[in-house]
Each structure stands twice: as C-alpha cells, then as structure tokens.
Amino acid sequence: MSDQDQSDQVILQQLAQIEQFSTLHPRLDKTFTYGTAGFREKGALLDSVIFRVGLLAALRSRKLEGQTIGVMITASHNPPEDNGVKLIDPQGEMLEQSWEEYATRFANADSDEYLAREYLNASEVLKINLEAPAAVVFARDTRESGPRLVAALKDGLSAAGAEFTDYGELTTPQLHYIVKCINTAKTPSPYGAPTAQGYYDKLSSAFKVVLKNLPKPSAVTVDAANGIGGPQLNALASAIGSDVINFVVVNADVATPTKLNFQCGADFVKTQQKQPSGVDLVAGQIYASLDGDADRIVFYYLDEDSGFHLLDGDKIASLIAMFVQDLLAQSGISLEVGVVQTAYANGSSSQYLTEVLKVPVTVTSTGVKNLHHAAVLFDIGVYFEANGHGTVLFSPGAIKALESFEANSPSQQTAVTTLLSLSDLINQTVGDALSDLLLVIAILTQKSWGPAEWDLAYTDLPNRLVKVLVKDRTVFKTENAERRLVQPAGVQDKIDEIVKKYKFGRSFVRASGTEDALRVYAEAATQGEVVDLTMKVAELVKDF
Ligand code: NG1
Ligand code: ZN
C-alpha cells in the first residue's frame, strides 16, 4: 500500500469511528448555537452537543500543532438543571471566534453520517492533518449532569483519536490556568505547574509576598453559591495558611445539587442587590459571593444603619486601577493603565475613572472575550463586567519594564516588587473569582481599608436591569458597544425621548446572548426614577 493509501485508510477509519460513536449520542430536534457562553442548555439536552464538542476540540488541537485545548463543562451562574460547555485555546484564552461557526455546525449536523462529513469538511477547509496528534484536557463543575456529559465528551475525543486528561471538578479559571501551564511548560516563561496544587502554590506565594510585614487581615466570609468555588477556596486557603488569613466559606454544600446558585452566589447578589441566604451580615465587615464556576465575584457590606452596599465589578476595577496607578507613581515607572467596561458599568464608575483617576476607559460589547481583546492594548489593562467577571492583564513589555527596573530607593523597590507579585496573583488567562478575592483583600490590607473606605471612591447611580420576554429578540440590533439600537427602526429615538426626562438618566436595550430575552438597563438620579424609567423603556419594547 502506498503512503497515500495508508493515510486515506486512517482517515476513513476515523470517520467510520465518528459515525459509529455518534449513534450512541443521538441529536435532538433542536438548534444549538455556540454563543458568548459557549453552548448552554438544560443538561438533559446536551449529550450529543458535548460529544460533538469533543470532535471539534480534537480538530482544534491538530490545527495548532498538537497544543493542548481545554474543554470546560459548566453553566456558571445558571440553575442546577442547566449545563454547558466552552472550549479553551492554548494560552488559556477563549476559543478563537472564527471557530464558533464550526462548533454550531457540528452541533446541528442532523445525522451521524452528516456529522462525519462536517468533520471532514472542516478539516479540509481549515487544512488540518487528521493524522496529527491531538491533546485535550477537561474539567467540570459540581452539577449532577456533569459525569454523564463527561462520558459523552470522552466518546467524542476517543472517536477523533485525541489523547485526553480528565481533571475532575475544577473552577473554570483553574482549567484556563492549567491549559496555559501545559502549553507554556517548554517555553522560556512557563506559567506554572499544570495542576490544582500548582494553582494554589502560585496564588498563595504571590499573596504572601504582597501581605508581607502587614497586619493579618480580618476573616473574610465567602458565599460559594454551593458550587465548586467552595472546596477550591478551602484548598487554596489551606495553602495560604490560617496564620496569614482566615476564610469562612459558607453556602459550600456541593452534595445537594439543587442548592447550586439557589438564593445565593454572585449573580443573585448582583441582580437582587441584597445579601444571599445563609449569611448573617455584621455591620462593617466585608463579604464576597462567587458564582457556580467561580469566575465571578462581588463584595458587599452592611453600614451602621443596616444599609446594604454592593461592591461589584465596577468597584473592583476602580479599586485595582487606583492601586496600580499609586504603585506606578511610587516607582516612577511610566506605563499606561487602562480600564475596559461594558455599557452595564455604572455611570458613576466611568466618571470616577476618567475624571478622578484620569485613566482611559474603553467600552466594548458584553462578553469577556470582547473586554479581554481591548485590555491587551494597554500596558496594564484592567477589565471587569459589572457582574464581577474580570481580571488584569500585564503586557509582556510591562513585565519586562518592571523586571529590569533599577530602583533608587526602598520605596521604589517595594512598589515594583508589589506590582510584580500582583501579576502572579492575578490569573491573567481569564476572570477568576478566587484570584480576584485575594487581590482585593491584598489591596485593602495594603491601604488599611475596610469595605466602607473602598466604597467612598464614588456613589453608584441607582440602577436596574430587567428581562423582557419578546416574540423575536433577534430583530433587536445595536451599535456603539450595544448602547444604541439601530433596529427596530425608530425605537432608539423613542428611548431617547423617555430618557431625556430623567436626571442622570441612561437606558439601553439589547438582546441577551445567553437567554431568549431582551435586557433593559437603566440608571437615574433616584431609586424611584430608575424604577419608572426602566418600566417605561420595557413597556416600549415588549411587543416585538
Ligand atoms: P447576556 O445574556 O448576553 O446578557 C450574560 C451577562 C454577560 C456575560 C454573559 C456570559 C449581564 C448583563 N450579561 O450575557 O455579562 O457574563 O452572560 O456568561 O450580566
Ligand atoms: Zn461563571
């Protein structure tokens, strides 16, 4: 047999295997779309989708010279019966956008045979050698449907002939970290050890450097949404040591699947603007809530008059930007700090950043990949969605400038050492609730601040976010980072007319990328006005 014949043989065998395995994971009569959150659905409907994601992950790895690709099975802050899946590219970033189309095509191929054909087609269009090696790692959150979906994923990976490693239950950001570690292991700057322990070690060492010689911070109570963040935070806390800080982890019941994200967690606290169940707030102390896969975090506290105060993603971004700017000023190094937000950022935060801190602010469309791409354009780019998903990116040039800096005074040296430790403390692959938690505590401890002092930077404008169910949300098209509607024609003008009547009024409408609904956001000078404004705008769009 010639080499060509042999190669054809291998490919035919792979395609036959895919077809055969696919019969075990029959497709449902439903259209699936790979959106900002990957695929997300009721867990019961995802078997065929996850099997097919396995095929795509194998192709992606082959396309990238056998670099390791990650697959995370989670539905984040969504209810326990939901699940989802997302691919992670080699440097720990989200799947390259142009591949989302293939994910959607694979998921919707309507027969086993057609699926094999889509697979072959993709390999031809993308010039992928199907005999090349493929490596994939995966993990899941604590949902009940997880193990069953992992089995489907393994079938997909086996059918496509990929090598794979099951990392069990991890947070989403931990898997991003592991993917980056694996792919940088043989480079001059390895990111870390590709294990959960490597993650705890990297974060805990950096945290201890930043806290060195400072008084022990008060204990911090963290609501883990009854998800994977609970056990992972406990493990991270042991690596840090109770001599450094104590974390009290509540809502950490991962044995009762129905409790996940129920009346607790970051999304609950942010959208309800109230404390989660399972937490008794003591005035003046700081609390945090994670979401179900621990990539989002929000903080909060009670004032002396029992008023509830939320410290969300905007507050976190502002705190970090302020702190990084202070350190840069102290060191005398000139690097550009910028902040990236979305239209959901509170107007007061954007004003504080531009007018008080005088940092440039970029506004992008919703979805962290959009923020991430804008943040890489700064030397130090801070990006956060208001819902608490975000991180800080240090450019390679910034790291080099810091590493090669020769300090003229102990104060300059301290500033540079702290900045470099921050770059290790921050998970730069993706927003990471555990890493953000340590970062915020480190900054507050450095400043000797409690939550109230942090909160002083600016006062949030009263705001409201509501969902409106419409017949067809796809008719709503936006421009200018989703802040204005271009379609349906004329609706934006009417919104403008309404908004004009409110002091500090702002409102915008967009179709959700993760739910079949419109989102209406508004802010105004008072609580009463914002309720009224939101209602009027919602009323305007509800009949489409
Ligand atoms: P959609 O459903 O497109 O609004 C939501 C969040 C996003 C992002 C994605 C991914 C809001 C208003 N929207 O998107 O910020 O986190 O989910 O999970 O918070
Ligand atoms: Zn999440």
Side-chain angles (χ1 to χ4, degrees):
M1 216 168 18
S2 73
D3 283 357
Q4 182 58 47
D5 287 347
Q6 223 164 22
S7 163
D8 287 351
Q9 200 70 33
V10 173
I11 293 169
L12 284 175
Q13 206 182 337
Q14 208 176 95
L15 295 176
Q17 215 162 272
I18 288 171
E19 233 182 284
Q20 194 195 339
F21 272 78
S22 175
T23 59
L24 305 172
H25 304 282
R27 184 184 169 272
L28 305 174
D29 185 19
K30 191 169 170 37
T31 307
F32 299 95
T33 312
Y34 194 99
T36 32
F39 290 112
R40 206 167 277 186
E41 260 303 338
K42 296 281 161 259
L45 307 182
L46 280 172
D47 187 78
S48 67
V49 173
I50 306 264
F51 168 78
R52 291 160 184 224
V53 163
L55 305 180
L56 192 73
L59 281 187
R60 183 81 186 138
S61 173
R62 289 196 171 110
K63 172 72 186 173
L64 301 173
E65 279 92 38
Q67 291 189 83
T68 297
I69 297 298
V71 178
M72 183 69 201
I73 298 180
T74 177
S76 183
H77 57 282
N78 290 131
E81 62 277 15
D82 289 11
N83 217 325
V85 65
K86 255 200 250 191
L87 290 168
I88 304 169
D89 263 357
Q91 293 304 306
E93 68 279 46
M94 315 255 174
L95 174 69
E96 187 188 296
Q97 197 150 357
S98 65
W99 275 59
E100 292 180 0
E101 173 200 334
Y102 293 97
T104 301
R105 289 174 76 115
F106 280 27
N108 296 314
D110 58 12
S111 70
D112 306 324
E113 193 196 342
Y114 194 63
L115 172 63
R117 208 174 312 154
E118 283 283 10
Y119 179 86
L120 183 63
N121 263 349
S123 76
E124 284 169 1
V125 175
L126 298 164
K127 300 193 172 41
I128 296 167
N129 173 8
L130 290 178
E131 292 171 278
V136 176
V137 295
F138 56 85
R140 60 186 167 90
D141 67 15
T142 55
R143 281 162 210 269
E144 222 173 357
S145 57
R148 194 174 44 76
L149 296 175
V150 158
L153 177 66
K154 283 184 183 167
D155 274 0
L157 294 168
S158 304
E163 275 187 26
F164 57 81
T165 309
D166 181 353
Y167 274 84
E169 292 181 1
L170 289 180
T171 71
T172 296
Q174 284 177 318
L175 188 66
H176 283 257
Y177 161 87
I178 283 169
V179 169
K180 180 157 181 164
C181 290
I182 295 173
N183 292 307
T184 55
K186 296 196 181 100
T187 68
S189 34
Y191 195 58
T195 57
Q197 190 60 48
Y199 172 91
Y200 310 139
D201 291 345
K202 178 164 178 156
L203 263 57
S204 59
S205 320
F207 186 63
K208 286 188 231 177
V209 173
V210 184
L211 287 196
K212 208 166 133 204
N213 303 328
L214 294 174
K216 181 178 172 182
S218 326
V220 181
T221 301
V222 181
D223 151 30
N226 294 311
I228 183 64
Q232 291 301 337
L233 175 55
N234 279 321
L236 176 61
S238 317
I240 295 169
S242 56
D243 53 323
V244 180
I245 187 169
N246 293 100
F247 288 105
V248 181
V249 186
V250 297
N251 294 332
D253 179 0
V254 290
T256 315
T258 49
K259 287 191 178 172
L260 177 69
N261 296 322
F262 183 69
Q263 306 278 321
C264 62
D267 197 58
F268 174 87
V269 175
K270 169 73 182 160
T271 53
Q272 306 289 315
Q273 307 198 8
K274 66 178 188 202
Q275 68 190 74
S277 68
V279 184
D280 279 325
L281 299 190
V282 175
Q285 292 190 7
I286 190 163
Y287 297 82
S289 283
L290 318 177
D291 74 340
D293 63 337
D295 59 359
R296 289 191 192 180
I297 187 165
V298 295
F299 296 82
Y300 41 95
Y301 69 101
L302 270 193
D303 63 28
E304 295 303 331
D305 302 321
S306 296
F308 177 83
H309 298 264
L310 177 67
L311 296 154
D312 63 1
D314 303 336
K315 287 277 180 182
I316 301 172
S318 304
L319 179 75
I320 299 172
M322 178 275 304
F323 188 64
V324 169
Q325 267 200 332
D326 278 1
L327 290 174
L328 286 173
Q330 190 182 326
S331 71
I333 303 180
S334 149
L335 291 172
E336 190 183 31
V337 184
V339 175
V340 186
Q341 304 186 306
T342 71
Y344 292 105
N346 197 278
S348 298
S349 75
S350 317
Q351 192 181 13
Y352 168 78
L353 289 165
T354 50
E355 290 175 19
V356 180
L357 292 188
K358 304 207 182 310
V359 294
V361 172
T362 311
V363 181
T364 70
S365 297
T366 306
V368 276
K369 68 180 171 207
N370 299 315
L371 288 96
H372 194 100
H373 290 148
V376 293
L377 303 178
F378 295 107
D379 294 327
I380 302 179
V382 182
Y383 73 85
F384 269 87
E385 292 190 313
N387 60 32
H389 192 183
T391 190
V392 186
L393 303 179
F394 287 73
S395 71
I399 296 287
K400 213 159 160 198
L402 291 168
E403 281 174 346
S404 59
F405 184 73
E406 287 176 19
N408 291 322
S409 69
S411 140
Q412 282 189 338
Q413 189 55 55
T414 310
V416 172
T417 310
T418 307
L419 280 166
L420 282 169
S421 305
L422 292 188
S423 78
D424 279 332
L425 181 56
I426 295 160
N427 185 338
Q428 295 187 47
T429 62
V430 75
D432 180 339
L434 300 185
S435 155
D436 293 338
L437 169 66
L438 298 187
L439 174 63
V440 165
I441 299 302
I443 296 176
L444 294 179
T445 309
Q446 284 257 349
K447 306 283 295 179
S448 308
W449 280 1
E453 284 90 355
W454 170 15
D455 203 13
L456 280 178
Y458 62 87
T459 305
D460 272 325
L461 280 172
N463 58 92
R464 230 165 118 80
L465 176 62
V466 296
K467 255 194 284 191
V468 181
L469 302 180
V470 288
K471 267 200 282 329
D472 182 9
R473 78 190 201 280
T474 63
V475 301
F476 286 80
K477 306 262 189 267
T478 59
E479 62 175 8
N480 194 6
E482 304 177 327
R483 287 173 289 191
R484 296 188 61 81
L485 283 175
V486 280
Q487 273 175 30
V491 177
Q492 186 62 52
D493 291 342
K494 289 189 183 143
I495 296 177
D496 292 345
E497 275 306 305
I498 299 172
V499 167
K500 258 200 321 219
K501 301 188 183 115
Y502 295 83
K503 190 172 172 204
F504 302 137
R506 181 167 76 94
S507 179
F508 66 93
V509 177
R510 59 176 275 280
S512 160
T514 63
E515 290 178 81
D516 188 9
L518 286 184
R519 295 200 197 284
V520 175
Y521 176 86
E523 51 190 45
T526 65
Q527 197 58 41
E529 283 170 288
V530 81
V531 169
D532 197 51
L533 172 57
T534 317
M535 208 181 59
K536 290 220 167 76
V537 176
E539 184 67 26
L540 181 72
V541 293
K542 77 175 192 334
D543 291 328
F544 283 92

